Amino acid sequence: MTAKQLETKEEMERALPMIVDAMDVLGGTHELPDLIQLIMNGDLTLWISKKSFMLTEVVEYPRLKELNMFLVGGNLEELLEYDDPVTEYAIGQGCARIEGHARPGFGRNRTMRAIGFVPRQTVVSKEIRCHG
């Protein structure tokens, strides 16, 4: 099955368990109802295949527009099938880059490098509590 954008309610229902399984990397920024709303509003685009999914969003910076791979889950080989349709979509949206945060080591993956992805930065975060 080739990766494609969400088209039916059944595809959304099939994607939900995969999304839930991948959400821990979000660090509490979103819950499932938030993601569903963002998809339904068109703020996130859901790409789905048999065992994998990707949520993307277009981000506009002052000097660049990029497609952010917001949340990804599933089988790496299957996810590689997303490259052409997602790249075509990004170009159609006027994006100059596709970017995403991934687990350590993912950017060094030989297959990811073969399709043009290279590690550029390490993301660090610190949990704090607001008092107010």
Side-chain angles (χ1 to χ4, degrees):
M1 175 182 275
T2 303
K4 63 178 187 164
Q5 287 179 270
L6 174 72
E7 293 178 355
T8 67
K9 181 180 177 184
E10 291 76 24
E11 289 173 334
M12 171 71 97
E13 290 171 359
R14 189 164 50 84
L16 291 179
M18 292 186 283
I19 293 171
V20 169
D21 286 346
M23 285 180 58
D24 61 326
V25 300
L26 295 177
T29 60
H30 298 74
E31 292 188 6
L32 186 59
D34 304 321
L35 297 178
I36 292 170
Q37 189 64 49
L38 290 167
I39 293 165
M40 300 312 290
N41 290 348
D43 296 317
L44 289 176
T45 299
L46 173 60
W47 302 82
I48 186 159
S49 52
K50 189 173 184 177
K51 299 177 187 172
S52 306
F53 80 96
M54 180 183 296
L55 290 174
T56 62
E57 65 180 339
V58 174
V59 180
E60 292 192 48
Y61 299 108
R63 300 183 185 273
L64 180 99
K65 187 188 276 191
E66 77 175 18
L67 187 73
N68 177 40
M69 296 181 293
F70 179 82
L71 186 63
V72 180
N75 175 283
L76 177 59
E77 287 183 28
E78 198 174 275
L79 287 166
L80 292 173
E81 296 175 10
Y82 287 53
D83 187 48
D84 288 339
V86 170
T87 298
E88 289 174 21
Y89 175 78
I91 291 168
Q93 297 296 311
C95 296
R97 174 171 63 210
I98 299 173
E99 188 169 86
H101 298 249
R103 63 175 171 74
F106 196 75
R108 294 187 303 269
N109 179 286
R110 207 177 289 173
T111 307
M112 292 301 291
R113 285 180 167 267
I115 61 172
F117 285 91
V118 294
R120 291 190 324 117
Q121 62 182 330
T122 299
V123 176
V124 298
S125 65
K126 175 183 176 179
E127 299 294 323
I128 59 171
R129 299 282 180 229
C130 294
H131 302 292

